[in-house]
Amino acid sequence: MLKLKKPSILNPQSKIIWCSNSKVYAPSLESEMKKASNTKAIQFLMAVFISCLVIPGCVKLSKPYPIKQYFVLEAKRTAQTGGTAPKASIRIKDPEISPLFSSKSFVYKTSNLEFTTDFYNEFFILPDKLIKTQTVGWLKKSGAFRRISPDPGEKTDFILESNIVNLYIDKTTSPNKAVLETAFFLLSGTKGADEIIWNSTHREEVQVKEESAPAMAEAFSKSLENTLIFLE
């Protein structure tokens, strides 16, 4: 004969079924449905997550970063050289440059007393080295000197010293401008005291054609070209 007992007091939602002198405990139908519902929800979320990993564009896991760019300076010479044979020689010393503009990064003037640097846009080498290389090449093509030497130990008739005072993009104006200001000193190389024969400070401001790094590099190059025209 089968005997049925009331549900356990400790677990009111369980059934106790006596069968062949044995007890079998089984969860209620409500509890089973809750477990099944939770399992299906987890499975659905996992399926959505995996689909997003597989389907391109579903989830943007990373964003592109700006590409670092490097630029050189190029002063394009168009004037013809003179016809007389040069007799003098000149030595080009390494330019001195203000510490504010001595790094490879482009420098921007954003207010009267505020400057910032651009990590992603740089000169290929230090700007004073670029300027010296262009100056030597420019004067060689000018035909004004018999010999142009970058060697600091070589004796020449003249010595050219320069000080780069400013080298930046002025963002306080519209359009922006590339600014290059240089102080020049021409010394006698034949006298022991290095007598100053001529000196002058020249400032160039060239408009940047558009808001881009290549346009800024082009404006820097044009400012150097105009400076070398003045120097010659």
Side-chain angles (χ1 to χ4, degrees), residues 100-169:
L100 295 174
F101 315 108
S102 60
S103 72
K104 292 193 292 184
S105 298
F106 283 9
V107 177
Y108 304 141
K109 181 180 180 181
T110 55
S111 70
N112 188 34
L113 296 175
E114 186 176 0
F115 292 79
T116 61
T117 56
D118 189 340
F119 175 80
Y120 293 103
N121 297 304
E122 294 186 345
F123 294 111
F124 189 69
I125 59 175
L126 293 174
D128 55 317
K129 305 298 183 186
L130 283 172
I131 291 174
K132 180 182 179 180
T133 300
Q134 290 295 306
T135 302
V136 172
W138 182 279
L139 292 179
K140 282 183 177 179
K141 292 177 182 178
S142 72
F145 297 95
R146 172 177 53 83
R147 175 167 173 73
I148 299 171
S149 172
D151 186 357
E154 184 174 347
K155 286 290 185 180
T156 54
D157 299 312
F158 299 102
I159 301 171
L160 179 65
E161 293 184 355
S162 59
N163 186 357
I164 302 167
V165 182
N166 285 298
L167 180 65
Y168 60 86
I169 296 294

Side-chain angles (χ1 to χ4, degrees), residues 51-211:
S51 298
C52 286
L53 292 179
V54 174
I55 300 174
C58 183
V59 176
K60 210 168 187 179
L61 299 178
S62 62
K63 63 177 183 178
Y65 289 93
I67 299 174
K68 200 162 187 176
Q69 300 181 87
Y70 301 90
F71 299 92
V72 298
L73 296 175
E74 183 183 10
K76 298 177 181 178
R77 182 180 180 84
T78 56
Q80 299 295 323
T81 60
T84 59
K87 297 181 179 180
S89 60
I90 189 171
R91 174 161 54 93
I92 312 297
K93 295 185 69 173
D94 292 339
E96 298 289 336
I97 186 169
S98 168
L100 295 174
F101 315 108
S102 60
S103 72
K104 292 193 292 184
S105 298
F106 283 9
V107 177
Y108 304 141
K109 181 180 180 181
T110 55
S111 70
N112 188 34
L113 296 175
E114 186 176 0
F115 292 79
T116 61
T117 56
D118 189 340
F119 175 80
Y120 293 103
N121 297 304
E122 294 186 345
F123 294 111
F124 189 69
I125 59 175
L126 293 174
D128 55 317
K129 305 298 183 186
L130 283 172
I131 291 174
K132 180 182 179 180
T133 300
Q134 290 295 306
T135 302
V136 172
W138 182 279
L139 292 179
K140 282 183 177 179
K141 292 177 182 178
S142 72
F145 297 95
R146 172 177 53 83
R147 175 167 173 73
I148 299 171
S149 172
D151 186 357
E154 184 174 347
K155 286 290 185 180
T156 54
D157 299 312
F158 299 102
I159 301 171
L160 179 65
E161 293 184 355
S162 59
N163 186 357
I164 302 167
V165 182
N166 285 298
L167 180 65
Y168 60 86
I169 296 294
D170 189 352
K171 288 185 171 287
T172 65
T173 64
S174 182
N176 298 161
K177 294 179 180 178
V179 177
L180 172 60
E181 185 175 1
T182 313
F184 293 105
F185 303 89
L186 183 64
L187 312 176
S188 171
T190 58
K191 298 180 181 180
D194 290 336
E195 177 185 351
I196 297 178
I197 301 173
W198 170 83
N199 71 285
S200 182
T201 299
H202 184 74
R203 181 183 177 93
E204 278 291 333
E205 296 183 0
V206 177
Q207 290 186 355
V208 180
K209 294 180 180 179
E210 60 182 30
E211 289 285 340

